Amino acid sequence: MWLNYLKIAFRRLANNRIVSVLNSLALAVGLTVALLIGIFITHELQYDRWVPDHEQVFRVYRVWNQTSNVVWTPSPLAEKLRSDYPEVISASGLSPSGEKLVELADKQIFVEHTAAVDSTFFQVVSLPFAAGDPETALSDPKGMIISTKLAEIIFGEEDPLGQTIRLDGTDDYFITGIISLEGRNSHLAFDLYRRFEWYSPYWSGNNRATYVKVNQNSSVEGLEGKVTTDVNKLVQQELAGMNLNVNAEDQAEWRLQPFAKIHLHSSEYSWIQSKKGNIEHLYIFGLIAVLVLLVAIFNYVNLATAQATQRGREIGVRKVTGAMRSQLVSQFLTESILIALVAGVIAIVLTVLLLPVFNEVVDRTLTLQEYGLLGVIGMVLLTIITGLLAGTYPALVISGYRPVEVMQKKFFHAGDKGLFRKVLVTSQFAITITLLLFMAFIYKQIHFMNSQDLGFDPEQIITVPLNFSTTNYSIQNRKNDLLAIPGVEAASVSSRLPGKLIPDWTIRIMGREEGYNPYVIFTDPDFAEVMDLNVKEGRYLDEEIAADSVNNFVVNETLVREFQLDDPIGAEIKFTSDTVWGRIVGVVEDFNFHSLTRPIRPLVMGGGERKWFASVRLNTAELDQVLASIQTLWQEIEPTHPMRFEFLDEEFAALYEEQSRFGNTVLYSGLLTLLIALLGLFGLTMFSVQRRVKEIGIRKILGASVSSIVKLISLEFILLIIVAFLIAVPVSFYIVRKWLENFAYQTDVSWWLFPVIGLVIIIIAMITASVQSLRAANLRPATTLRTE
Amino acid sequence: MIALKNIEKYYTNGFQKTWVLRDITTNIAQGEFVTIMGPSGAGKSTLLNIIGMLDSGDKGEYHFLDEPVMKLREKRRHELHKSYMGFVFQAYHLIDELTVYENIETPLLYRKVKRSERQSMVAEMLDRFGIVAKKDLFPHQLSGGQQQLVGVARAIVARPKLLLADEPTGNLHSAQGEIIMDLFKELHDEGMTILQVTHSEKNASYGTRILEIEDGFIREDYPVRQGGLIGH
Ligand SMILES: Nc1ncnc2c1ncn2[C@@H]1O[C@H](COP(=O)(O)OP(=O)(O)O)[C@@H](O)[C@H]1O
Ligand SMILES: [Mg+2]
């Protein structure tokens, strides 16, 4: 029987080539989207789940006021967890240490992802070692663990173990361990681990993440509670010892985040984590995959039921010769599954072709190999389920025909007048238009953010990360040489830059009990000139005034407003840990030192010695020449490291990379959905023309014009698309408003984008629908009438 | 074999009922070869379809092999239909995507006949109807007469007791029609009960009895005398 079903299915495929192509192409596109997104989602879900004992490992974080989650913890925490709590097996600290220059003989490599850890870190987190002993690898302070990837780059075939390499041009380390993730993924994707070089004994400090491994079955909430009580007490004591008030801000909830959740559930956590995942995006992507696949399935349903008239006779014959309805249903399902399988094969080819593009969109390096047999099984299952979903409704409808009705053709109309089909076409286009409208507003928002006046001028500024705390002085010494280069307007060093992670510090205001937490940037006096900041009141820091490099401060307008400083100039403030008070000497106009997703917050700028970035304002058309001169000079400023620079405006734009990638995903899925819907529309008009070929012939004989016939066929569909548009408008309006809530600065939801997108889609649909009707309208009536 | 009592069939169009069959009462015994005649629209096909269980009457009683068809469950009806009946249509109604061989084989598939048995049964049909050479052709590659041969072969391959034929020669020219009618005669001689609808008096002469229908009533019911047609 199955053989018979298959045979007829194959022959139908071959005989109805256009429909088969339309169907399998649409399903293939739908499956491709589902497959790509499916791969991405499984990839994301697999992060860290393979690490041995991961269920027992947690990362400590703090919650303030139920809102902000902070992963940074004080240095002594790991030690306390180890010694004071019986359920803790071990605990250890980790801090990303940025980019490092690694040297071996004449090789110089910048390693982007490096970390500092406690020597016991790999007893807490059991990352697999390809060589070396995780227990003892970091016993020696000069030991170093690298990834197999880095080992290959530096040493090639050689055995790296025991080899010595130089870090940042100063210190030598010897390799004691190689970590191999073997193609699996972890949020701990560092290529280089060393021991911490420093330790801060303060409980009020926060400078590293703390990972903790607990006994099986121990109560996590219990531990969280105990730690919260104990540590908050320690913080209190410490602050009291410094004669400081303790306010609510210093008392956090201490919590434990499961190891395997770190990758996906940390988007709201302040922490440096490359390729951070985002569970919300995963949901949205999953929803998009389902929608696109649904649109493709609707296509099949539409084309299959539209074809039903043709198949009525076959059904009648089969029933008369003894077929039971269930057998007919199996036959139709065999057909739909077969088409789905053909589509599945095409989808795999498309997926292979599109994977590189998709990887860029989602910022991953996904491969199909990663999934192996399980992936194949998943794909086959997905395909079969798609085939079943697509085939069930048409199978039920068509197999329900009564032989007497379908075989005496004179009484047979394909039943339902196609109401269901109309609903499906409308939902297809409603989904498509919603996605495209959403996409339009994502881009509009990104464009809005990039063209917004930031309150400082990021253009023509290059920024250079500094590798040593002493570089600050080298630059101050050579600043005149730097400024002497034609095309260089101004140069400055600062602790942080707009758009980078900027820390907040606790300050005190003279005469007030409570502490405040503004963001803090330490700068030299030239910072205002480089960034083109507007000083509103008082002045910016001045080189000539000694106190300006120590404890005089400049603040922004938001700080004045939010901290309610009636007379800011001259107001006395200080950092909690400082002993002497300083003064506010100027107020600058607000500028966006964070991305526009966040509102402007209070900011303090002061002298201080911690400077990690140089920024240089250029004014030149000969960029290459100026850059070359700066680079030459830089060899004297930091001889150990090749100079690396970025443009501040590009860095700022890069802050919206996640949004851009998200926008791209929505754009591509929107376009693919449109493609599928158009394929379906094309097929439906084709059937409509086939069914009405005689009517069209007669109308032509009676003198109908080509355009009136095109209208006759297309109008019905165009009306459906207009209905779809009317549904899509409120839905996308709601989604867009919801999405814009993620941004402190929002573009307007301008009404004109709706009709523009709607019109574009209606025109494209009209063209698609016209292809078939034009063809029919141009046939000579003699030909069409003869076929009846 | 077939007992019809006061069978009625009507269609409701709005509030108005149009009767297609009224008060049909008749018996057909095993081994008869009955011809239904009458003008177009008289209800011949409807009656045939009701007897063949493709359609059902709105009133009356229908016993097939002593089973009360109109009171049976769908499943049992389907079983009766499947095990006892074969259908031949005016428009042949072969399945376009299947070859001659496969078309004939279809009823056997639905009756779960074993593969080897199927092969021999289909081969027997092909042989008997002289279409062995055509077995791998598709319907559109055959002439009308050949298609109807396949149609008959398909109708009887599963060895039904009752063969129902609705104007089987209506689309054929006379020579082709004759071949089909000769075949029916042969089948009848072998003991098959046959019920055919036709407009042709000549075709009717192959049978044993004629039911004339007009406006849904049985107007006349009379035997065919061997060798000639009884006038009236
Ligand atoms: N589904 C239907 N709805 C309404 N009228 C029908 C339907 N089927 C058949 N009829 C009517 O029933 C009558 C008998 O039809 P039919 O049995 O096909 O006649 P015959 O085969 O004798 O030409 C016709 O007048 C036809 O119009
Ligand atoms: Mg008829």
Side-chain angles (χ1 to χ4, degrees), chain A residues 115-167:
Chain A
V117 292
D118 287 333
S119 64
T120 56
F121 189 77
F122 296 103
Q123 292 163 34
V124 179
V125 178
S126 309
L127 293 184
F129 274 56
D133 180 359
E135 307 251 327
T136 59
L138 294 177
S139 304
D140 190 306
K142 288 293 165 191
M144 176 186 278
I145 298 166
I146 58 174
S147 68
T148 37
K149 192 175 82 193
L150 183 58
E152 244 175 64
I153 295 171
I154 306 178
F155 299 103
E157 298 288 288
E158 264 179 86
D159 182 9
L161 227 52
Q163 301 252 29
T164 302
I165 55 179
R166 177 159 293 186
L167 212 60

Side-chain angles (χ1 to χ4, degrees), chain A residues 316 320 402-409 411, chain B residues 45-46 49 54-55:
Chain A
V320 169
R402 294 185 346 119
V404 247
E405 279 164 22
V406 290
M407 297 174 75
Q408 296 176 338
K409 221 174 174 177
F411 300 115
Chain B
S45 297
T46 309
N49 289 335
L54 300 182
D55 204 347

Side-chain angles (χ1 to χ4, degrees), chain A residues 408 410, chain B residues 44-45 166-167 197:
Chain A
Q408 296 176 338
K410 48 187 170 175
Chain B
K44 308 183 294 292
S45 297
D166 195 347
E167 302 189 37
V197 170

Side-chain angles (χ1 to χ4, degrees), chain B residues 66-210:
Chain B
D66 296 329
E67 297 209 43
V69 175
M70 290 166 76
K71 296 192 185 91
L72 292 179
R73 304 227 263 132
E74 178 63 34
K75 196 158 175 230
R76 176 72 191 139
R77 227 176 354 219
H78 182 257
E79 243 170 58
L80 281 177
H81 168 87
K82 193 156 100 175
S83 6
Y84 294 106
M85 298 179 186
F87 258 89
V88 178
F89 304 95
Q90 175 177 3
Y92 330 130
H93 286 330
L94 301 182
I95 297 176
D96 296 331
E97 279 84 8
L98 296 183
T99 63
V100 166
Y101 182 97
E102 290 158 356
N103 262 292
I104 300 175
E105 189 189 27
T106 309
L108 303 178
L109 290 172
Y110 289 125
R111 283 161 184 78
K112 306 232 155 64
V113 178
K114 276 202 218 70
R115 190 181 155 77
S116 57
E117 218 174 316
R118 247 165 32 218
Q119 277 172 344
S120 72
M121 288 165 87
V122 176
E124 189 192 319
M125 286 298 135
L126 291 169
D127 193 32
R128 173 165 189 178
F129 291 21
I131 45 176
V132 178
K134 309 254 185 291
K135 76 175 175 38
D136 292 324
L137 298 184
F138 287 92
H140 67 90
Q141 296 168 302
L142 301 177
S143 73
Q146 290 164 339
Q147 288 194 45
Q148 194 57 304
L149 277 178
V150 178
V152 178
R154 185 181 62 188
I156 64 170
V157 67
R159 300 181 185 138
K161 292 263 182 307
L162 175 64
L163 181 64
L164 300 153
D166 195 347
E167 302 189 37
T169 62
N171 284 8
L172 303 177
H173 55 71
S174 55
Q176 293 171 329
E178 232 165 82
I179 296 176
I180 300 293
M181 289 318 298
D182 286 338
L183 212 65
F184 277 21
K185 176 116 192 70
E186 229 175 279
L187 291 169
H188 178 232
D189 291 344
E190 287 165 17
M192 174 125 29
T193 312
I194 299 178
L195 197 55
Q196 70 166 348
V197 170
T198 184
H199 288 293
S200 142
E201 312 236 316
K202 180 153 177 277
N203 287 352
S205 71
Y206 286 80
T208 57
R209 174 180 164 196
I210 293 175

